Amino acid sequence: MKAYFQNSSKLNIKFSILFWQLFFGTLPFTLIVSPLAFTGQRPANFNGEHLIGISGALISLITHPIVVFVGTIILWTILLIGRIIIEFIFKNSMK
């Protein structure tokens, strides 16, 4: 266990890699919802207003990177805090 945590303490969580993984991971859902909003089968909801047509398609495409960016910030912060806690626990217990 000691060797494992010595190696894992050198790991860095790259924000850009996490962002692009989430971006392309959720992109298929955006590309499915956008035509559905355009045709009116599944309206996009923006500020409590149902949008259909070109505005609904554009809103779903525009909000995709914004939502992914906010989600990346939250996930990256959680992973960083978890790494700090694990390092603190296991560095103190191995002394």
mmCIF file with all atom_site columns, all heavy atoms in Angstrom, residues 1-6 90 94:
data_model
loop_
_atom_site.group_PDB
_atom_site.id
_atom_site.type_symbol
_atom_site.label_atom_id
_atom_site.label_alt_id
_atom_site.label_comp_id
_atom_site.label_asym_id
_atom_site.label_entity_id
_atom_site.label_seq_id
_atom_site.pdbx_PDB_ins_code
_atom_site.Cartn_x
_atom_site.Cartn_y
_atom_site.Cartn_z
_atom_site.occupancy
_atom_site.B_iso_or_equiv
_atom_site.pdbx_formal_charge
_atom_site.auth_seq_id
_atom_site.auth_comp_id
_atom_site.auth_asym_id
_atom_site.auth_atom_id
_atom_site.pdbx_PDB_model_num
ATOM 1  N N   . MET A 1 1  ? 0.821  -1.199 0.000  1.00 0.00 ? 1  MET A N   1
ATOM 2  C CA  . MET A 1 1  ? 0.000  0.000  0.000  1.00 0.00 ? 1  MET A CA  1
ATOM 3  C C   . MET A 1 1  ? 0.858  1.253  0.000  1.00 0.00 ? 1  MET A C   1
ATOM 4  O O   . MET A 1 1  ? 0.495  2.230  -0.589 1.00 0.00 ? 1  MET A O   1
ATOM 5  C CB  . MET A 1 1  ? -0.921 0.011  1.222  1.00 0.00 ? 1  MET A CB  1
ATOM 6  C CG  . MET A 1 1  ? -2.038 -0.991 1.181  1.00 0.00 ? 1  MET A CG  1
ATOM 7  S SD  . MET A 1 1  ? -3.510 -0.437 0.409  1.00 0.00 ? 1  MET A SD  1
ATOM 8  C CE  . MET A 1 1  ? -4.294 0.697  1.431  1.00 0.00 ? 1  MET A CE  1
ATOM 9  N N   . LYS A 1 2  ? 1.989  1.186  0.670  1.00 0.00 ? 2  LYS A N   1
ATOM 10 C CA  . LYS A 1 2  ? 2.818  2.374  0.785  1.00 0.00 ? 2  LYS A CA  1
ATOM 11 C C   . LYS A 1 2  ? 3.334  2.815  -0.582 1.00 0.00 ? 2  LYS A C   1
ATOM 12 O O   . LYS A 1 2  ? 3.309  3.991  -0.909 1.00 0.00 ? 2  LYS A O   1
ATOM 13 C CB  . LYS A 1 2  ? 3.983  2.100  1.724  1.00 0.00 ? 2  LYS A CB  1
ATOM 14 C CG  . LYS A 1 2  ? 4.832  3.308  1.994  1.00 0.00 ? 2  LYS A CG  1
ATOM 15 C CD  . LYS A 1 2  ? 5.902  3.000  3.023  1.00 0.00 ? 2  LYS A CD  1
ATOM 16 C CE  . LYS A 1 2  ? 6.714  4.228  3.325  1.00 0.00 ? 2  LYS A CE  1
ATOM 17 N NZ  . LYS A 1 2  ? 7.744  3.977  4.315  1.00 0.00 ? 2  LYS A NZ  1
ATOM 18 N N   . ALA A 1 3  ? 3.776  1.866  -1.396 1.00 0.00 ? 3  ALA A N   1
ATOM 19 C CA  . ALA A 1 3  ? 4.291  2.203  -2.722 1.00 0.00 ? 3  ALA A CA  1
ATOM 20 C C   . ALA A 1 3  ? 3.182  2.756  -3.615 1.00 0.00 ? 3  ALA A C   1
ATOM 21 O O   . ALA A 1 3  ? 3.410  3.660  -4.418 1.00 0.00 ? 3  ALA A O   1
ATOM 22 C CB  . ALA A 1 3  ? 4.927  0.983  -3.364 1.00 0.00 ? 3  ALA A CB  1
ATOM 23 N N   . TYR A 1 4  ? 1.980  2.240  -3.492 1.00 0.00 ? 4  TYR A N   1
ATOM 24 C CA  . TYR A 1 4  ? 0.866  2.702  -4.318 1.00 0.00 ? 4  TYR A CA  1
ATOM 25 C C   . TYR A 1 4  ? 0.556  4.172  -4.045 1.00 0.00 ? 4  TYR A C   1
ATOM 26 O O   . TYR A 1 4  ? 0.380  4.959  -4.959 1.00 0.00 ? 4  TYR A O   1
ATOM 27 C CB  . TYR A 1 4  ? -0.371 1.846  -4.063 1.00 0.00 ? 4  TYR A CB  1
ATOM 28 C CG  . TYR A 1 4  ? -1.593 2.361  -4.786 1.00 0.00 ? 4  TYR A CG  1
ATOM 29 C CD1 . TYR A 1 4  ? -1.722 2.182  -6.157 1.00 0.00 ? 4  TYR A CD1 1
ATOM 30 C CD2 . TYR A 1 4  ? -2.592 3.041  -4.109 1.00 0.00 ? 4  TYR A CD2 1
ATOM 31 C CE1 . TYR A 1 4  ? -2.826 2.674  -6.838 1.00 0.00 ? 4  TYR A CE1 1
ATOM 32 C CE2 . TYR A 1 4  ? -3.692 3.525  -4.772 1.00 0.00 ? 4  TYR A CE2 1
ATOM 33 C CZ  . TYR A 1 4  ? -3.808 3.334  -6.133 1.00 0.00 ? 4  TYR A CZ  1
ATOM 34 O OH  . TYR A 1 4  ? -4.887 3.823  -6.795 1.00 0.00 ? 4  TYR A OH  1
ATOM 35 N N   . PHE A 1 5  ? 0.486  4.542  -2.787 1.00 0.00 ? 5  PHE A N   1
ATOM 36 C CA  . PHE A 1 5  ? 0.135  5.922  -2.463 1.00 0.00 ? 5  PHE A CA  1
ATOM 37 C C   . PHE A 1 5  ? 1.292  6.882  -2.690 1.00 0.00 ? 5  PHE A C   1
ATOM 38 O O   . PHE A 1 5  ? 1.075  8.064  -2.863 1.00 0.00 ? 5  PHE A O   1
ATOM 39 C CB  . PHE A 1 5  ? -0.409 6.031  -1.044 1.00 0.00 ? 5  PHE A CB  1
ATOM 40 C CG  . PHE A 1 5  ? -1.806 5.519  -0.948 1.00 0.00 ? 5  PHE A CG  1
ATOM 41 C CD1 . PHE A 1 5  ? -2.079 4.319  -0.332 1.00 0.00 ? 5  PHE A CD1 1
ATOM 42 C CD2 . PHE A 1 5  ? -2.852 6.227  -1.511 1.00 0.00 ? 5  PHE A CD2 1
ATOM 43 C CE1 . PHE A 1 5  ? -3.375 3.834  -0.268 1.00 0.00 ? 5  PHE A CE1 1
ATOM 44 C CE2 . PHE A 1 5  ? -4.136 5.753  -1.447 1.00 0.00 ? 5  PHE A CE2 1
ATOM 45 C CZ  . PHE A 1 5  ? -4.407 4.552  -0.828 1.00 0.00 ? 5  PHE A CZ  1
ATOM 46 N N   . GLN A 1 6  ? 2.516  6.387  -2.696 1.00 0.00 ? 6  GLN A N   1
ATOM 47 C CA  . GLN A 1 6  ? 3.621  7.262  -3.063 1.00 0.00 ? 6  GLN A CA  1
ATOM 48 C C   . GLN A 1 6  ? 3.534  7.623  -4.540 1.00 0.00 ? 6  GLN A C   1
ATOM 49 O O   . GLN A 1 6  ? 3.801  8.748  -4.926 1.00 0.00 ? 6  GLN A O   1
ATOM 50 C CB  . GLN A 1 6  ? 4.958  6.594  -2.760 1.00 0.00 ? 6  GLN A CB  1
ATOM 51 C CG  . GLN A 1 6  ? 5.293  6.563  -1.291 1.00 0.00 ? 6  GLN A CG  1
ATOM 52 C CD  . GLN A 1 6  ? 6.577  5.821  -1.018 1.00 0.00 ? 6  GLN A CD  1
ATOM 53 O OE1 . GLN A 1 6  ? 7.092  5.135  -1.891 1.00 0.00 ? 6  GLN A OE1 1
ATOM 54 N NE2 . GLN A 1 6  ? 7.080  5.940  0.197  1.00 0.00 ? 6  GLN A NE2 1
ATOM 55 N N   . PHE A 1 90 ? -3.179 9.091  4.404  1.00 0.00 ? 90 PHE A N   1
ATOM 56 C CA  . PHE A 1 90 ? -2.192 8.031  4.262  1.00 0.00 ? 90 PHE A CA  1
ATOM 57 C C   . PHE A 1 90 ? -0.766 8.506  4.530  1.00 0.00 ? 90 PHE A C   1
ATOM 58 O O   . PHE A 1 90 ? 0.088  7.697  4.881  1.00 0.00 ? 90 PHE A O   1
ATOM 59 C CB  . PHE A 1 90 ? -2.316 7.377  2.894  1.00 0.00 ? 90 PHE A CB  1
ATOM 60 C CG  . PHE A 1 90 ? -3.512 6.488  2.801  1.00 0.00 ? 90 PHE A CG  1
ATOM 61 C CD1 . PHE A 1 90 ? -4.663 6.919  2.163  1.00 0.00 ? 90 PHE A CD1 1
ATOM 62 C CD2 . PHE A 1 90 ? -3.520 5.246  3.391  1.00 0.00 ? 90 PHE A CD2 1
ATOM 63 C CE1 . PHE A 1 90 ? -5.774 6.124  2.095  1.00 0.00 ? 90 PHE A CE1 1
ATOM 64 C CE2 . PHE A 1 90 ? -4.627 4.436  3.332  1.00 0.00 ? 90 PHE A CE2 1
ATOM 65 C CZ  . PHE A 1 90 ? -5.759 4.867  2.688  1.00 0.00 ? 90 PHE A CZ  1
ATOM 66 N N   . MET A 1 94 ? 1.338  6.487  7.607  1.00 0.00 ? 94 MET A N   1
ATOM 67 C CA  . MET A 1 94 ? 2.508  5.707  7.235  1.00 0.00 ? 94 MET A CA  1
ATOM 68 C C   . MET A 1 94 ? 3.768  6.192  7.933  1.00 0.00 ? 94 MET A C   1
ATOM 69 O O   . MET A 1 94 ? 4.835  5.658  7.722  1.00 0.00 ? 94 MET A O   1
ATOM 70 C CB  . MET A 1 94 ? 2.696  5.754  5.726  1.00 0.00 ? 94 MET A CB  1
ATOM 71 C CG  . MET A 1 94 ? 1.657  4.982  4.989  1.00 0.00 ? 94 MET A CG  1
ATOM 72 S SD  . MET A 1 94 ? 2.035  4.966  3.265  1.00 0.00 ? 94 MET A SD  1
ATOM 73 C CE  . MET A 1 94 ? 0.527  4.364  2.596  1.00 0.00 ? 94 MET A CE  1
#
